[in-house]
Amino acid sequence: MPPSFEEMEARKEKKDNKRKRSASVSEKPAKKAYEPKGKKGKKQAPVVSDEEEMPADLPEVDLEELASAKKALFDDSEEEEEGDEFYDSDEEGREKPIWSDDEDIETLNVANMEALSRKLDEEEELEAEEAEEELVEGAVQPKAIVLPTAEEEEAMEGHPQDVTMTRTRMMEITKVLEDFKTLAEDGKSRTEYVNRLIKDICSYFGYTPFLAEKLFNLFSPSEAMEFFEANEISRPTTIRTNTLHSRRRDLAQTLVNRGVNLQPIGTWTKVGLQIFDSQVPVGATPEYLAGHYILQAASSFLPVMALQPQENERILDMAAAPGGKTTYISAMMKNTGCVFANDANKARTKSLIANIHRLGCRNTIVCNYDAREFPKVIGGFDRVLLDAPCSGTGVIGKDESVKVSRTEKDFIQIPHLQKQLLLSAIDSVDANSATGGIIVYSTCSVAVEENESVVEYALRKRPNVRLVDTGLAIGKEGFTSYRGKHFSPKLSLTRRYYPHTYNVDGFYVAKFKKIASSPHDVSKAGAKEKEHAARSEQDDTIINDDFAEFDADQDKELIQQTVNRNMKKRGVNPNARKADKVIKEEEAPKE
Amino acid sequence: MPPLTEEETKVVFEKLANYIGRNITFLIDNKEDPHVFRLQKDRVYYVSEKIAKFATSVSRQNLMSLGVCFGKFTKTGNFRLHITALSYLAQYAKYKVWIKQNGEMPFLYGNHVLKAHIGKMSDDIPEHAGVVVYSMHDIPLGFGVSAKSTTEARGLQPNSIVAFRQSDVGEYLREEDTLFS
């Protein structure tokens, strides 16, 4: 039984009872308790029973009054038969006029005045009592109803569940968890509620229990529900104006003429437009093909905005495909300087190259390395953007498969890769850059393992970087502690984005500034090459391969001298026993 | 990633000269930011000298693209311009054709330019010369070869071809798999 339905039923029954009691002025409460639930049956029942037991139990009540009461009840029931059967919210209201207006005035006389007034008093008292009871019960109700019993739970196993029921229960549990002290059922622990809620989330939204729990733990219960719900709807389509070819106002005008309904995304970006609906495919208009804009999620603007590329810098985008961020960097630099766009996946570099050319970026170099190789390939960048590959828990609205495909293993392997990448990114930056020395780390995940933990790790491993403010207008602060883990307080400078708060994909942005160079920065391949060159050029320097060769004969003489000296010190004449000591002395220095 | 040989340069420049004529000098004599041609696999890239130098640190098999790809050498040694060269061609184009809005989509789907779609065109286009195609808002859409000279084209039927399409920006969608690697 769903709690909500039970609740409803219970309330209805109570009301019915109440009405009956007030109708017959509490003459036979025992009988009432056994009355059937159905409205029709219930309503006819009192009539019969009243007639039977009237003489015994009802001395004080006016017969006429009772008759009219019966009639009223009948009328009432007839009326209800006609009306909506499930109507239960204001039945009490309907009874009242029957009592107070009609019969009371009609039958009021000196004889029954006392009885009547007593009846009224009783009635009032009863009502007050019941109201109070209901009030108390109302507060208690969720305690009794929210969690299903063990039997119910067993019954639920293996059955496809009623979604509305599950949903109601999720809401109820969320409510309880929000105010656990007052609303929780006695003897039930918070864990029981949370477990039930996570089970419901799994069945209702289709997550694996592992992922549901992981995501649930990031938020307060009500916020978590908002998050899960926001993941069910997709984010609005957004486009970014390519400032190399067009301006936002011109582009908006052109697209409006093509029948696209759009508006600027927000005050935080000057290049973004949000598409509401369109009569033409937005990804195939002549403007799109001519590179005036690119379809890009609003969240993807953020890391580039945090990176703040300057003209004439050398910038590395470590995981660039499909090129939304790379082209944005290029546009911000107005095609000056140099952008290295790297992607580890060769197939994905196709779309990267296509976008780079379509948007008219002329300052890019596209390469296909594992980004971890990077300070080796080329280092000394002014800025590095690492939009790391991630589990994608922030973009569940876009890619539903994340709900079931991610396992515990992923949350170990992916962060491991991210940590390596971030260290590579840090080492690839030139700390002495006049304008930059900036590293931006971002993921489209909301998991702490892939965000705060990775940043914390980098801060620990590379003391020559520090976190700086991202300079982004929106975003929530990163966690400084999470489930018993404590991170550096500086992590509050990083930014988190959630689908339910900003209607962008779940995202995370951290910005570092490199303040000093470290031994890790040295391009290792380059160093080796330099050493080889040095060896071949100057043979007669200190670097000689014969350093470790020994001349045994020459050494022997020197060793002998030292031994003699030592013997003299001890007061032994070395020449006196030269003959028999020679062998021993030869061994001595070897030790 | 070598520069072009003399032979290769000749082939490439002959092709470019069809579209931009003597403006080709702007491509090679850029004093403040000298640009160079580079051959990577069979593709020709046009790129700032500075960037070309940076690209030397990337090994040949890992280098996917640099600067702007102008086109590729076919196996027979011809040079074929790609749509990616359009931004430079449009910048220095000698002969231009503007097409009306109703002709944009047919052209972007790979059709030739019809007389009916012509909004305006350069006055002095000879027959079989390279032309760059623009929309009426001056957005470059592609390039091709004129079928008729401007004067001859004036007397053509509305449904006859004025310029043969060689490349259009629709290829970014249609040819993404083959164009870029």
Side-chain angles (χ1 to χ4, degrees):
Chain A
M1 262 295 162
S4 61
F5 187 53
E6 259 179 44
E7 203 181 327
M8 202 172 74
E9 201 80 339
R11 207 179 296 144
K12 200 195 284 174
E13 208 167 330
K14 198 151 43 88
K15 273 177 201 160
D16 290 338
N17 284 344
K18 188 165 145 190
R19 181 173 39 214
K20 267 169 258 148
R21 256 183 291 172
S22 55
S24 49
V25 204
S26 69
E27 72 272 58
K28 39 185 175 22
K31 186 100 188 172
K32 298 272 145 58
Y34 299 110
E35 272 167 13
K37 246 196 259 173
K39 277 195 178 166
K40 237 179 176 174
K42 169 198 71 199
K43 267 164 200 148
Q44 282 160 350
V47 181
V48 179
S49 58
D50 281 352
E51 275 169 359
E52 281 170 4
E53 296 176 33
M54 204 169 29
D57 290 354
L58 266 179
E60 310 145 309
V61 182
D62 202 332
L63 269 178
E64 211 177 79
E65 193 186 345
L66 199 76
S68 64
K70 274 186 255 168
K71 190 167 164 275
L73 262 178
F74 245 120
D75 287 345
D76 195 19
S77 72
E78 267 167 7
E79 206 175 274
E80 286 219 329
E81 270 176 303
E82 283 163 15
D84 186 6
E85 240 197 309
F86 297 100
Y87 190 81
D88 71 337
S89 58
D90 60 358
E91 277 168 24
E92 295 155 82
R94 263 189 277 174
E95 285 169 37
K96 245 190 171 170
I98 297 169
W99 282 115
S100 55
D101 297 347
D102 306 338
E103 293 94 51
D104 288 5
I105 295 163
E106 204 178 19
T107 57
L108 190 69
N109 54 39
V110 184
N112 67 358
M113 192 190 274
E114 198 193 336
L116 263 176
S117 60
R118 195 171 56 217
K119 185 180 65 65
L120 276 174
D121 283 352
E122 262 175 46
E123 205 184 310
E124 228 163 76
E125 212 172 285
L126 203 92
E127 212 152 287
E129 196 182 298
E130 255 163 338
E132 200 172 330
E133 199 182 319
E134 199 169 77
L135 205 82
V136 174
E137 256 185 308
V140 180
Q141 248 171 22
K143 291 188 186 182
I145 289 163
V146 171
L147 278 186
T149 61
E151 298 94 68
E152 279 173 328
E153 201 138 343
E154 239 170 71
M156 277 194 303
E157 294 297 324
H159 290 288
Q161 295 192 27
D162 179 7
V163 276
T164 49
M165 192 175 98
T166 314
R167 194 185 158 75
T168 321
R169 186 168 54 221
M170 285 195 298
M171 290 302 154
E172 298 277 351
I173 297 180
T174 314
K175 221 180 284 165
V176 172
L177 287 174
E178 286 294 285
D179 189 8
F180 193 75
K181 254 185 202 155
T182 50
L183 295 182
E185 199 178 335
D186 295 331
K188 295 270 185 191
S189 70
R190 201 178 171 89
T191 333
E192 283 173 79
Y193 281 94
V194 172
N195 287 347
R196 184 65 241 165
L197 181 53
I198 287 175
K199 261 188 213 167
D200 286 342
I201 287 169
C202 291
S203 69
Y204 187 78
F205 294 113
Y207 288 84
T208 57
F210 165 73
L211 191 64
E213 195 181 346
K214 183 167 279 297
L215 295 174
F216 180 80
N217 287 336
L218 288 170
F219 307 102
S220 68
S222 63
E223 205 184 349
M225 288 308 294
E226 284 175 38
F227 174 76
F228 285 118
E229 304 232 327
N231 277 341
E232 295 305 301
I233 44 170
S234 52
R235 307 275 78 77
T237 311
T238 52
I239 61 174
R240 178 176 59 78
T241 319
N242 180 19
T243 47
L244 292 173
H245 280 169
S246 186
R247 281 178 302 174
R248 183 166 75 170
R249 183 187 303 211
D250 301 341
L251 176 68
Q253 190 55 54
T254 322
L255 289 179
V256 165
N257 290 344
R258 290 203 186 275
V260 181
N261 186 2
L262 46 73
Q263 85 169 38
I265 292 179
T267 49
W268 54 273
T269 171
K270 288 201 171 92
V271 291
L273 287 167
Q274 183 175 345
I275 310 275
F276 296 112
D277 57 89
S278 169
Q279 293 165 15
V280 289
V282 185
T285 63
E287 283 73 29
Y288 175 84
L289 294 169
H292 288 200
Y293 64 91
I294 182 169
L295 289 164
Q296 190 175 8
S299 56
S300 305
F301 297 9
L302 301 167
V304 184
M305 291 166 74
L307 190 70
Q308 292 171 321
Q310 310 290 317
E311 287 176 38
N312 293 309
E313 284 185 328
R314 187 152 56 89
I315 295 182
L316 170 64
D317 185 355
M318 288 187 122
K325 296 183 195 72
T326 310
T327 50
Y328 192 13
I329 293 172
S330 201
M332 278 179 143
M333 293 165 72
K334 304 199 173 75
N335 257 338
T336 62
C338 181
V339 182
F340 273 73
N342 180 69
D343 201 276
N345 185 338
K346 201 165 189 171
R348 277 163 66 90
T349 59
K350 269 184 202 171
S351 60
L352 172 59
I353 297 170
N355 277 327
I356 283 174
H357 280 94
R358 186 168 61 80
L359 297 184
C361 304
R362 298 173 173 183
N363 60 344
T364 53
I365 296 171
V366 181
C367 48
N368 169 228
Y369 279 106
D370 183 336
R372 284 170 289 184
E373 287 183 53
F374 241 89
K376 245 190 222 177
V377 177
I378 180 170
F381 289 95
D382 294 308
R383 288 162 204 266
V384 175
L385 172 63
L386 171 58
D387 183 33
C390 66
S391 62
T393 49
V395 288
I396 291 172
K398 210 187 276 174
D399 179 14
E400 295 252 317
S401 69
V402 172
K403 285 180 182 177
V404 287
S405 63
R406 292 300 172 194
T407 61
E408 201 155 5
K409 210 172 148 195
D410 289 321
F411 286 94
I412 297 166
Q413 282 176 341
I414 295 175
H416 180 67
L417 173 67
Q418 287 165 336
K419 285 171 187 172
Q420 291 175 318
L421 288 172
L422 184 52
L423 292 190
S424 295
I426 290 170
D427 295 342
S428 306
V429 167
D430 176 14
N432 303 317
S433 160
T435 53
I438 300 292
I439 302 106
V440 169
Y441 173 78
S442 68
T443 63
C444 57
S445 170
V446 292
V448 173
E449 288 90 338
E450 299 177 73
N451 298 329
E452 281 86 352
S453 294
V454 175
V455 171
E456 173 83 4
Y457 174 87
L459 291 175
R460 212 169 55 235
K461 286 282 174 181
R462 295 285 184 271
N464 56 334
V465 295
R466 61 157 190 249
L467 280 170
V468 291
D469 188 48
T470 54
L472 297 169
I474 58 168
K476 293 194 167 181
E477 292 184 359
F479 295 130
T480 50
S481 64
Y482 172 73
R483 294 178 79 77
K485 262 186 238 165
H486 290 278
F487 304 120
S488 155
K490 281 274 186 181
L491 272 150
S492 59
L493 291 171
T494 64
R495 286 288 174 269
R496 286 182 153 262
Y497 299 86
Y498 300 121
H500 58 280
T501 48
Y502 299 106
N503 201 14
V504 297
D505 293 322
F507 220 77
Y508 179 78
V509 179
K511 182 177 178 179
F512 300 89
K513 169 119 177 85
K514 191 164 174 178
I515 46 178
S517 53
S518 80
H520 302 283
D521 300 353
V522 181
S523 158
K524 276 144 204 148
K528 208 183 251 172
E529 279 162 12
K530 271 179 214 159
E531 198 183 320
H532 280 303
R535 276 177 189 281
S536 58
E537 268 174 30
Q538 22 185 277
D539 277 333
D540 51 348
T541 51
I542 16 165
I543 307 169
N544 277 317
D545 282 331
D546 57 4
F547 177 68
E549 279 176 22
F550 296 99
D551 185 351
D553 292 340
Q554 209 176 358
D555 289 352
K556 203 174 181 181
E557 207 178 298
L558 289 169
I559 290 164
Q560 190 60 51
Q561 278 175 11
T562 318
V563 169
N564 288 353
R565 201 163 49 237
N566 285 344
M567 287 176 82
K568 267 183 198 166
K569 267 186 201 166
R570 277 183 281 153
V572 185
N573 184 2
N575 298 327
R577 350 177 184 169
K578 204 172 187 177
D580 51 336
K581 288 281 176 179
V582 161
I583 302 157
K584 264 190 194 172
E585 283 156 7
E586 258 181 356
E587 285 168 1
K590 273 182 197 168
E591 283 174 359
Chain B
M1 200 194 50
L4 302 182
T5 63
E6 206 154 302
E7 185 64 25
E8 286 162 345
T9 312
K10 203 175 139 230
V11 176
V12 172
F13 279 24
E14 266 174 17
K15 192 69 145 191
L16 282 175
N18 283 337
Y19 297 91
I20 59 178
R22 300 203 61 78
N23 289 340
I24 213 163
T25 50
F26 291 117
L27 285 183
I28 42 183
D29 291 337
N30 186 342
K31 284 289 184 301
E32 62 262 30
D33 188 12
H35 279 56
V36 293
F37 285 92
R38 286 287 181 268
L39 187 66
Q40 157 75 5
K41 290 166 191 164
D42 53 356
R43 271 150 218 276
V44 175
Y45 294 93
Y46 178 68
V47 65
S48 154
E49 199 170 12
K50 271 188 286 178
I51 291 172
K53 276 180 183 154
F54 282 129
T56 52
S57 50
V58 179
S59 81
R60 197 171 292 184
Q61 66 265 30
N62 295 105
L63 182 64
M64 309 306 289
S65 162
L66 72 157
V68 173
C69 177
F70 262 35
K72 65 183 264 190
F73 281 105
T74 61
K75 293 208 168 58
T76 51
N78 290 326
F79 180 69
R80 185 160 296 160
L81 276 171
H82 278 168
I83 186 61
T84 48
L86 182 67
S87 60
Y88 282 104
L89 295 185
Q91 192 178 344
Y92 299 116
K94 213 163 81 174
Y95 305 119
K96 304 181 181 184
V97 168
W98 287 266
I99 52 177
K100 289 188 243 173
Q101 187 159 14
N102 60 353
E104 279 176 11
M105 289 325 278
F107 180 72
L108 294 179
Y109 280 108
N111 298 308
H112 299 307
V113 182
L114 303 183
K115 173 71 171 34
H117 295 152
I118 299 281
K120 54 179 177 173
M121 61 196 290
S122 308
D123 285 335
D124 51 350
I125 305 178
E127 203 174 347
H128 305 315
V131 292
V132 176
V133 180
Y134 297 81
S135 76
M136 290 307 278
H137 305 293
D138 271 331
I139 301 171
L141 296 178
F143 54 88
V145 174
S146 62
K148 294 278 191 296
S149 69
T150 309
T151 41
E152 282 177 296
R154 290 218 171 91
L156 283 175
Q157 295 292 312
N159 60 349
S160 54
I161 295 168
V162 175
F164 298 111
R165 182 204 73 96
Q166 285 182 325
S167 207
D168 65 81
V169 287
E171 286 177 26
Y172 280 117
L173 294 183
R174 299 202 304 275
E175 313 275 325
E176 197 188 77
D177 290 337
T178 53
L179 203 54
F180 305 105
S181 59

